[in-house]
Amino acid sequence: HRFDSAQLINIDLSYPDDFDLKEYVEKGGFGILNSDKIIIFVGRFQLKQGQHLFETPLSSDQVVTMEADGWFTLKASVPDTMYFRWWLLSLGDKVEVLEPNWLKDKIVETTRHTLSLYE
């Protein structure tokens, strides 16, 4: 996701006149939307696993609060996408979803089901 350089090429592209790439991305266009709503996400991240979020924020309104125990709390407005949920699950015990409650419940349900496969 990091570019060192880019090169302009001459290719004819067609797209709708009212298309706005920034708006498309912000609404979750590349992340398989579950709904068209933006959620206010609050989570606790282990510093070592989540420090990339300082360099690549989840949103322009992201707020990070450092904690004394090697964790930080992050609040951000994000699209409700499958990609976002998969990413949260990939962090395992290095993230705790605090809000919204329905997302926290979904993560708990998925984690319990996964654990049941190994019992």
Side-chain angles (χ1 to χ4, degrees), residues 60-109:
S60 60
D61 68 348
Q62 174 174 299
V63 176
V64 172
T65 305
M66 298 304 298
E67 299 177 12
D69 61 356
W71 288 68
F72 65 91
T73 301
L74 178 142
K75 181 176 182 178
S77 302
V78 298
D80 180 20
T81 65
M82 288 304 298
Y83 182 78
F84 181 65
R85 293 182 193 188
W86 294 331
W87 174 72
L88 287 172
L89 287 165
S90 77
L91 294 173
D93 64 350
K94 308 302 186 238
V95 64
E96 177 186 4
V97 175
L98 302 175
E99 294 178 27
N101 283 330
W102 62 264
L103 179 58
K104 177 179 172 178
D105 293 344
K106 184 67 177 166
I107 297 295
V108 168
E109 175 188 335

